[in-house]
Amino acid sequence: MPSAAGSRGRHVRTCLHYIRGVFMKRHAFSAAAFSGTILSAAMFASPAMAQDQEQFITIGTGGQTGVYYVVGQSICRLVNRLEDANIKCNAPSTGGSVANINGIKSGQLDMGVAQSDVQYQAYNGTGNFEGDAFEELRAVFRVHGEPLTLLARADSGIEELDDLEGKRVNIGNPGSGQRNTMEVVMDAKGWTEDTFALASQLDAAEQAAALADNNVDAMVYVVGHPNGSIQEATTTVDARLIPLNGPAIDEIVEEYPYYSKSVIAGGLYKGNPDPVETFGVAATFVTTAEADDEVVYQTVKAIFDNFDRFKRLHPAFEGLDAEEMVTSGLSAPLHEGAARYYREQGWIE
């Protein structure tokens, strides 16, 4: 009985003979088109060949000046170094956490970076995902901590949270982590967009210039530090980090398990020598249960097998602990491909 491979081989040869005959009779087609058609015919005729094709994954990130963009680019850099996995990765700039979750849900993205609170809300159907729980959402690992950062022009008269009333504030673009967290703060304070003289919705890449150009008095950013956008703003205009503390913040941290108090170190930015109290979340890396187990396994393997290299790719990664990244700060279940690698390392049972 002929083998399947032999049958495919004869089928390919038959296809090529037929195509060659057609092109010998019709000279209107170019040699390049002839070659391309032969290649296509061979590929369709041999399903086994498709198994060796590269797999492409797209990772949702955030604004190009933010750490999310660096997270995605760093992951892709390590994944693309894999020699035998046949995986090619790209990480375009996106609208941020909520946009990444929605992109994964719709199939436009394979993986993405999202704040820990957005991960929680998406999986449980709360917040921006009220009544629409994404039960197929899967966690892969936690990354760096991300405090809510409030930066105000020194000439704005803003020295504390309550001073934002009546000011021009960039509250973040819809779908971003900063917008999501800022809305939590606004709810706790009983504020609406009308509380501000202007509630602009610029994305992360635009807000530093808006602050410097005096188009807004203050901007908010959920981000790891040091951050390029904050550095840009503080070097082009006299600007101050504003503490986020007090009863409203205490209530937020007490009510939501994914928030914790944080401190932005002093001396990271021009004109800001002292540490500043705030609160925040953590960046997490997520996917869907439908993602291929082997692809997810190879992705986490690329990172944790090269963990020292990964930590050198951004200052916000320096303090990361591999085991803590997979055992805390995650609300959705671990993807099975990721869990397989972590079991091999003895980090989970």
Side-chain angles (χ1 to χ4, degrees), residues 122-199:
Y123 184 71
N124 292 282
T126 62
N128 283 300
F129 304 88
E130 186 70 41
D132 188 26
F134 183 15
E135 296 180 353
E136 295 302 300
L137 183 66
R138 292 294 180 268
V140 182
F141 53 80
R142 175 179 61 80
V143 203
H144 56 282
E146 294 189 294
L148 178 62
T149 304
L150 174 59
L151 184 70
R153 292 175 59 95
D155 59 9
S156 66
I158 299 171
E159 297 182 359
E160 59 182 26
L161 178 61
D162 288 345
D163 292 335
L164 292 181
E165 296 186 43
K167 302 295 184 179
R168 301 167 301 163
V169 183
N170 186 59
I171 61 175
N173 59 294
S176 68
Q178 46 265 22
R179 176 63 172 270
N180 186 73
T181 307
M182 187 58 181
E183 287 179 346
V184 172
V185 173
M186 290 166 62
D187 288 344
K189 297 292 295 182
W191 292 348
T192 68
E193 292 184 23
D194 292 335
T195 299
F196 312 114
L198 171 68

Side-chain angles (χ1 to χ4, degrees), residues 162-339:
D162 288 345
D163 292 335
L164 292 181
E165 296 186 43
K167 302 295 184 179
R168 301 167 301 163
V169 183
N170 186 59
I171 61 175
N173 59 294
S176 68
Q178 46 265 22
R179 176 63 172 270
N180 186 73
T181 307
M182 187 58 181
E183 287 179 346
V184 172
V185 173
M186 290 166 62
D187 288 344
K189 297 292 295 182
W191 292 348
T192 68
E193 292 184 23
D194 292 335
T195 299
F196 312 114
L198 171 68
S200 64
Q201 303 183 43
L202 301 174
D203 65 28
E206 301 173 300
Q207 60 181 354
L211 192 79
D213 293 340
N214 200 21
N215 293 326
V216 296
D217 298 308
M219 55 181 261
V220 295
Y221 205 176
V222 175
V223 72
H225 294 277
N227 168 259
S229 182
I230 305 297
Q231 288 175 332
E232 176 188 348
T234 53
T235 54
T236 53
V237 67
D238 193 7
R240 300 287 182 268
L241 293 169
I242 307 301
L244 291 170
N245 48 26
I249 302 302
D250 292 341
E251 291 174 8
I252 291 172
V253 172
E254 184 177 346
E255 180 177 356
Y256 300 102
Y258 40 78
Y259 288 130
S260 60
K261 291 189 176 181
S262 181
V263 174
I264 302 172
L268 296 179
Y269 305 106
K270 180 181 178 182
N272 290 269
D274 301 320
V276 176
E277 293 183 355
T278 181
F279 79 104
V281 293
T284 66
F285 194 58
V286 297
T287 187
T288 170
E290 297 178 358
D292 183 84
D293 284 3
E294 185 63 22
V295 169
V296 177
Y297 175 86
Q298 292 294 339
T299 299
V300 299
K301 180 178 174 64
I303 295 159
F304 291 107
D305 279 5
N306 300 279
F307 195 54
D308 288 339
R309 179 189 294 270
F310 179 76
K311 291 199 296 183
R312 291 195 298 268
L313 294 177
H314 193 279
F317 305 159
E318 289 179 359
L320 293 178
D321 177 272
E323 188 169 351
E324 287 182 359
M325 290 170 65
V326 305
T327 57
S328 65
L330 302 176
S331 304
L334 281 173
H335 188 281
E336 183 51 41

